[in-house]
Amino acid sequence: KQEVTQIPAALSVPEGENLVLNCSFTDSAIYNLQWFRQDPGKGLTSLLLIQSSQREQTSGRLNASLDKSSGRSTLYIAASQPGDSATYLCAVSFNKFYFGSGTKLNVKP
Amino acid sequence: GAVVSQHPSRVICKSGTSVKIECRSLDFQATTMFWYRQFPKKSLMLMATSNEGSKATYEQGVEKDKFLINHASLTLSTLTVTSAHPEDSSFYICSAPLAAQETQYFGPGTRLLVL
C-alpha cells in the first residue's frame, strides 16, 4: 500500500526566506504527484501537478521537483510571504489519490 | 480552471438523522469522483470512489451501508451519511479529475457536526 510522508510537519520562517517542503512516497508506480494548499477550514487548492514522466514544474515563486525512482518530491517556495501561510499537502496518484499528512507553514511578517 | 462545488458547506444535525452531501462538477463531466474525510489537523483519507453508472468502490474500513454514495449523473455525486453519530462529525471533501491521470479538482468541503 502506498504511504506518503511529509517532512517537516510544521515550519515557521520569517518573511523573505526561501524554503523547501519534502514529500516521500513508498511505491514509485504513480501517474502523477500533486501539491495542494489548504487554508484553515477550507478545501484544497491545486498548486502544481507533475506527471510521472516529468522532473519538475514551476508556477511563479513555486517550483516542484519529482524523483520517481527515489520516491521523493520537493516543493520550493522562493521569497516567502505571510500570505503563503497554510498547510501544504502532497498527493500521489495511481488510480487513487494518497495524501501526505501535510506541512503547516507559518511565514512571520 | 475546472470548478467543483459542494452543498451544503456546513451542516449541523441530531444524532440518528441522515445527511446528504452533494458534489457537482460545474463545467466538466466526471465519470469518476472521489470522497474524502479529514479529521482535525489530519490529512485527507480517501473513503470511496464514486463511479457513474456503477457501484461505488469503498476503501478498506469504510462502511458502505453507513456512507451511501450515488453517482446520479456525469456532474453529480452524493454522499449520504446514514444514522449519523457524533463520531461522524468531520470535514468531507470531494474531488473530480478532468480526465484520467489528470489534475484533481476539489470541492470546498462540507463540515458536518452531529450533536
Side-chain angles (χ1 to χ4, degrees):
Chain A
K1 181 184 176 183
Q2 180 74 267
E3 292 185 6
V4 182
T5 304
Q6 289 187 246
I7 295 173
L11 184 61
S12 184
V13 299
E15 181 177 7
E17 274 203 9
N18 302 322
L19 51 97
V20 175
L21 308 182
N22 297 292
C23 173
S24 61
F25 47 96
T26 54
D27 189 344
S28 62
I30 63 172
Y31 288 146
N32 56 54
L33 183 146
Q34 199 163 353
W35 282 93
F36 297 89
R37 168 185 174 142
Q38 186 177 30
D39 293 288
K42 304 291 185 181
L44 276 68
T45 301
S46 177
L47 298 174
L48 290 165
L49 170 73
I50 310 177
Q51 299 290 356
S52 62
S53 59
Q54 298 174 323
R55 299 284 297 193
E56 67 176 337
Q57 283 288 329
T58 299
S59 176
R61 295 183 292 108
L62 305 179
N63 175 275
S65 67
L66 173 64
D67 184 342
K68 200 175 69 165
S69 61
S70 66
R72 296 177 187 276
S73 176
T74 60
L75 177 67
Y76 176 81
I77 302 177
S80 59
Q81 303 171 356
D84 295 330
S85 298
T87 296
Y88 290 80
L89 297 163
C90 73
V92 296
S93 171
F94 186 77
N95 295 324
K96 305 174 185 177
F97 253 58
Y98 297 91
F99 280 84
S101 54
T103 294
K104 186 174 183 180
L105 173 66
N106 178 35
V107 181
K108 298 172 288 186
Chain B
V3 177
V4 175
S5 70
Q6 277 185 245
H7 178 80
S9 58
R10 179 183 291 266
V11 57
I12 301 173
C13 68
K14 293 182 179 180
S15 185
T17 61
S18 293
V19 176
K20 179 185 284 188
I21 303 170
E22 293 185 348
C23 177
R24 293 183 184 271
S25 55
L26 297 185
D27 48 3
F28 66 102
Q29 294 182 332
T31 57
T32 301
M33 292 184 177
F34 300 91
W35 286 96
Y36 303 83
R37 181 175 181 176
Q38 187 176 32
F39 293 99
K41 299 184 180 180
K42 300 291 184 183
S43 190
L44 278 72
M45 180 192 77
L46 179 64
M47 298 175 65
T49 303
S50 175
N51 304 299
E52 192 273 336
S54 63
K55 292 182 179 180
T57 306
Y58 290 83
E59 294 299 300
Q60 191 173 11
V62 178
E63 299 176 62
K64 61 181 180 181
D65 295 329
K66 172 76 171 175
F67 300 98
L68 300 179
I69 291 174
N70 180 32
H71 203 126
S73 72
L74 287 172
T75 60
L76 173 64
S77 174
T78 60
L79 168 68
T80 301
V81 183
T82 63
S83 187
H85 288 95
E87 57 265 30
D88 299 324
S89 299
S90 193
F91 193 53
Y92 293 87
I93 304 178
C94 69
S95 74
L98 269 178
Q101 305 177 34
E102 292 299 327
T103 300
Q104 292 276 340
Y105 290 92
F106 283 78
T110 296
R111 188 162 299 282
L112 170 63
L113 176 61
V114 184
L115 302 177

